[in-house]
Every structure is written in C-alpha cells, then in structure tokens.
C-alpha cells in the first residue's frame, strides 16, 4: 500500500494524460453527479454529497474538502464501453447496388477516476456478457482493453444502496489498476493506494508517493467497515433465484404493475443492463443509408416482438421479466447476478418502485424458496 497526498493526487491527471488517456470522472452538472471528461481534480464534486430515497435524489453542498463524498448518481461507466448510440455502417448507392462502409473507430483510451466497488462489479458483469460468451462485442472489447481504472472505495453509501447484500462492495475488489481510499481527518487529506496491475504500478511510480504506515492502512480499513454498516437497504440474496422462480404468479406482480409506468428509466440507469436494438435511417434522396445501434429496454413493447406478436404485452409481464432476469435467470445465463445493489433503479424510478421492497413482499407470503431447486 502507498500513500499519495492531496496535492500529489492532482498530478494523477497529468500523468494519465501524458500516457495518452482521456480522463473521465465525476462532476456536478444539472443537479446531479455525472461522469464526463475532466481537465483537473478541481472539477471533481468537491464538498458535494447527496440524499437518495425511492424516486428522490438531492445534492447537498457541505463544508468539506472531500473529492469523493457522494454516492453513485444516474450515470454509469457502461456508456463509455457501449455508447448509447453508435453508427455501425453507412451505405451509398452505386449503380444498381450499394457500397457499404463499415465504421472504423479509433479506440478511445479512457482513464476512469472514481469507480466504486459496485460499479467495478457491474463492469465485470458486462465483461461476462460481452467478452466471455460465444461471441465478443468488438467495440466493447477494444474500449475495455484500452481502459485504465482508478477505483475509489465508497465512504458514503446512499439511502438506496445494498451492495453489501449483493457482495459487491463497498470495498473495491478487482479488477482495477489503482484503488484509492480517501482519508480526510482534520487538516490531513490523503489517499491510501492499492495497485492492481503493472499499469497501475507504473502510474504510481510517476506520482510523488510514500509507503503507507500501519495506522494509515488501519484507518482505510475502518472507513470500509463503517461504510458497510451504513447501507440504506438490504436484499436477502441467498435464495432469491428460487424464490422468484417459485412465485411467478404471486399477486405482487399485479400490484407493482399498477404502479409501474413502463418508462424504461430503471434499465437505462442500471449499470449492468445491456439490451440494444438497431435502426436503419435513409436520407430523402435515397442515396445514403446508415445503420445505428442504440440502447433499448425490455420495458418497451417492441422489445418483446417476436414472430408477429408481443410475448410480454402487459406491464406486469415486463416488470416481472426484468426483475426475475436481474435476480434469477441472469444467474443461469451468465453465472452471476445481474444486480450489483447500486440502488440507481430505486432512485431514478419516477414512482419510487424499490426492487428490494418487491423482493421482500414476495418473500413475506410467497411460496418459500427452500428446498433449493437444483
Ligand atoms: S437492478 Fe437496480 S440496484 Fe441492481 S444493479 Fe441495476 S440499477 Fe443497480
Ligand atoms: S419500475 Fe419505475 S423506472 Fe422502471 S419502468 Fe417501472 S416506473 Fe419506470
């Protein structure tokens, strides 16, 4: 473990840029902490924290020098690995046919600063989907391989967080290049740094640093323990798959369908949701056409259109498939839960539907999960 002081932290930006990275991290915009390009540490959400509850998000300015004193906002890192809209190819009429030009993207080299434990696990979940299945997604792969990740242990979980229940945080576990714990005690402001890769070690070598003392390591561990005790929510994940599979006709699905607007917000803010569609567009002359890929959501009617009909024509069917996919069938499909407990779907649901409350309601009077289905 190493320590870098607050002033040395500023040089991290120059060191990463000198290595050809575009630095991306949290900043305050439009009343929320979002992720975008950063020029320097002064653009981080210094002194900002937030309050989150179902359907509620509010930023609060504090008299604090903390750079990372907030919990996750509406953005996630997935938009940098798999852009919300992406042109796949262009075509131009030529004689009786068309000439197709595929997109030849120059892979951006992103350095992400401030990735939380749950977010790192969400990236691992998407790695499983895009890199370890029968096919790999080429844009995701090239951007992912080029990325440098500076993770930051979360000291301030939000009111909707349940990463402890999902075993994804708050302490960062790999894969990262650097993992920082921000320590702010009186006038002392420094970062305890763990390196997770050769790239990470090389970057730290270029930043003024010193070995961490045992007291500094102990403080960083204490902060992680305190954060784990501050979760806003819990979800009993032990047998959630079996519970949901056994309760596909539970009356709670009708109840939640009466509240759900099928607005798609929960899927768009979720760091693991990955559904996309393709759209072809032409110009008015008919000379040019383009194919675009864009994010889609299982809450849209069209997403379930197969062979002349909709297989999930009701809101009840769509909410049930989303929640059972996240917490149950994702495990069968990818060997891991599709939920990392970040709480975004709860915060950004306009009617405050809470996935943990829905699971609890089904668990309270549904068909019990045990004995476990093999
Ligand atoms: S389902 Fe909700 S809590 Fe779970 S990872 Fe997605 S947004 Fe976060
Ligand atoms: S659960 Fe909430 S966020 Fe998700 S589709 Fe329904 S109303 Fe929208």
């Amino acid at each position: 473990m190493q320590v870098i002081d607050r002033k040395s932290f500023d040089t991290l930006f120059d060191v990463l840029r000198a290595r050809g990275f575009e630095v991306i991290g949290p900043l305050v915009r439009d009343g929320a902490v979002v992720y975008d390009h950063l020029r320097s540490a002064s653009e981080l959400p210094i002194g900002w924290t937030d309050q989150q509850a179902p359907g509620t998000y509010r930023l609060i300015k504090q008299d604090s020098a903390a750079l990372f004193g907030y919990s996750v906002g509406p953005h996630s890192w997935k938009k940098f690995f798999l852009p919300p809209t992406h042109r796949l190819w262009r075509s131009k009429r030529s004689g009786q046919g068309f000439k197709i030009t595929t997109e030849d993207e120059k892979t951006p080299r992103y350095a992400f600063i401030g990735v939380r434990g749950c977010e790192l696990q969400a990236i691992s979940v998407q790695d499983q989907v895009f890199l370890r299945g029968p096919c790999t997604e080429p844009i995701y792969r090239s951007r992912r391989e080029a990325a440098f990740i500076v993770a930051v242990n979360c000291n301030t979980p939000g009111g909707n967080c349940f990463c402890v229940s999902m075993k994804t945080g708050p302490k960062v576990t790999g894969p990262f290049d650097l993992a920082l714990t921000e320590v702010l005690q009186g006038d002392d402001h420094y970062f305890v740094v763990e390196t997770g890769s050769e790239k990470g070690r090389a970057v730290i070598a270029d930043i003024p640093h010193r070995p961490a003392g045992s007291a500094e390591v102990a403080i960083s561990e204490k902060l992680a323990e305190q954060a784990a005790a501050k979760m806003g929510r819990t979800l009993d994940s032990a047998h959630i798959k079996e519970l949901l599979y056994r309760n596909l006709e539970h009356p709670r699905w009708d109840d939640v369908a009466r509240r759900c607007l099928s607005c798609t917000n929960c899927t768009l803010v979720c760091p693991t949701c990955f559904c996309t569609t393709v759209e072809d567009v032409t110009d008015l002359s008919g000379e040019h056409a383009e194919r675009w890929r864009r994010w889609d959501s299982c809450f849209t009617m069209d997403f379930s259109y197969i062979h002349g009909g909709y297989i999930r024509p009701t809101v009840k069917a769509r909410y049930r498939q989303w929640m059972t996919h996240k917490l149950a069938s994702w495990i069968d499909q990818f060997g891991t839960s599709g939920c990392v407990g970040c709480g975004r779907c709860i915060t950004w649901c306009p009617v405050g539907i809470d996935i943990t409350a829905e699971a609890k309601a089904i668990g309270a009077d549904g068909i019990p999960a045990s004995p476990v289905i093999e």
Side-chain angles (χ1 to χ4, degrees):
M1 296 273 210
Q2 310 293 325
V3 165
I4 56 177
D5 62 25
R6 171 65 187 84
K7 202 153 167 259
S8 301
F9 177 83
D10 289 353
T11 64
L12 175 61
F13 287 69
D14 296 332
V15 169
L16 290 170
R17 257 194 298 272
R19 286 163 188 266
F21 289 108
E22 297 173 46
V23 180
I24 309 284
L27 72 158
V28 171
R29 181 187 298 151
D30 299 331
V33 173
V34 298
Y35 299 149
D36 209 339
H37 287 79
L38 295 177
R39 282 164 300 194
S40 71
S42 65
E43 291 179 312
L44 289 165
I46 300 171
W48 287 98
T49 193
D50 52 83
Q51 271 179 351
Q52 299 191 37
T56 300
Y57 178 95
R58 181 167 293 122
L59 278 184
I60 298 164
K61 189 77 166 94
Q62 293 183 317
D63 184 20
S64 163
L67 307 184
F68 299 100
Y70 59 88
S71 54
V72 294
H75 285 192
S76 68
W77 308 98
K78 74 177 181 182
K79 70 175 181 158
F80 298 103
F81 293 127
L82 194 80
T85 57
H86 186 86
R87 187 169 56 199
L88 297 171
W89 50 255
R90 287 169 290 155
S91 70
K92 186 173 181 320
R93 192 185 287 277
S94 98
Q96 293 304 304
F98 285 93
K99 181 172 181 297
I100 304 277
T101 310
T102 52
E103 289 296 307
D104 200 9
E105 175 181 83
K106 183 172 181 312
T107 303
R109 295 186 68 221
Y110 293 132
F112 300 118
I113 294 190
V115 181
R116 297 296 165 90
C118 64
E119 299 187 298
L120 212 44
Q121 291 306 312
I123 293 171
S124 293
V125 168
Q126 289 213 323
D127 286 352
Q128 191 70 23
V129 174
F130 290 125
L131 304 181
R132 302 198 192 106
C135 313
T136 58
E137 207 299 316
I139 294 162
Y140 183 94
R141 186 186 62 224
S142 55
R143 288 174 172 228
R144 178 75 178 89
E145 285 172 356
F148 186 93
I149 293 182
V150 182
V152 172
N153 284 305
C154 179
N155 294 338
T156 49
N160 292 331
C161 293
F162 56 102
C163 61
V164 167
S165 300
M166 304 313 289
K167 303 180 180 58
T168 59
K171 190 163 170 45
V172 165
T173 52
F176 53 79
D177 295 296
L178 298 174
L180 315 183
T181 301
E182 181 175 28
V183 180
L184 186 55
Q185 290 187 322
D187 291 337
D188 270 354
H189 193 180
Y190 60 89
F191 296 86
V192 177
V193 184
E194 193 181 342
T195 51
S197 70
E198 276 310 315
K199 279 189 295 180
R201 279 183 272 286
V203 164
I204 279 298
D206 286 352
I207 297 172
H209 68 277
R210 59 178 173 76
S214 55
E216 289 161 330
V217 173
I219 288 171
S220 71
E221 281 167 4
K222 183 87 184 151
L223 287 170
E225 280 167 28
Q226 287 171 347
K230 285 193 278 191
M231 288 291 113
R233 291 185 143 56
T234 57
L235 187 144
D236 182 1
S237 59
H239 299 302
I240 188 72
K241 180 177 103 171
E242 292 75 18
L243 180 75
L244 294 180
Y245 280 168
R246 286 175 174 227
N247 287 282
L248 294 175
E249 299 307 326
H250 193 283
R252 186 72 180 191
W253 301 117
D254 293 302
D255 183 279
V256 72
R258 280 192 287 275
R259 289 172 281 136
C260 176
L261 308 173
S262 205
C263 70
T264 77
N265 264 19
C266 47
T267 52
L268 298 179
V269 294
C270 178
T272 64
C273 279
F274 59 86
C275 293
T276 57
T277 187
V278 290
E279 202 169 65
D280 292 340
V281 291
T282 57
D283 67 2
L284 290 177
S285 72
E287 290 295 311
H288 303 92
E290 297 181 346
R291 174 162 289 182
W292 286 77
R293 179 175 63 193
R294 61 173 173 77
W295 287 2
D296 205 348
S297 168
C298 55
F299 277 93
T300 69
M301 189 83 148
D302 281 349
F303 198 77
S304 75
Y305 183 87
I306 295 177
H307 307 311
Y310 298 99
I311 58 169
R312 291 188 288 272
T314 62
V315 174
K316 172 184 172 181
R318 295 200 284 280
Y319 187 89
R320 180 175 55 192
Q321 105 72 37
W322 175 73
M323 186 167 150
T324 51
H325 189 210
K326 283 279 138 190
L327 296 171
S329 54
W330 201 298
I331 299 170
D332 293 331
Q333 198 176 2
F334 300 113
T336 171
S337 174
C339 175
V340 296
C342 71
R344 284 182 178 90
C345 59
I346 307 170
T347 301
W348 299 97
C349 173
V351 292
I353 292 172
D354 174 351
I355 190 172
T356 68
E358 299 312 315
K360 273 194 188 86
I362 292 169
D365 61 0
I367 303 165
S370 54
V372 175
I373 298 170
E374 292 300 334

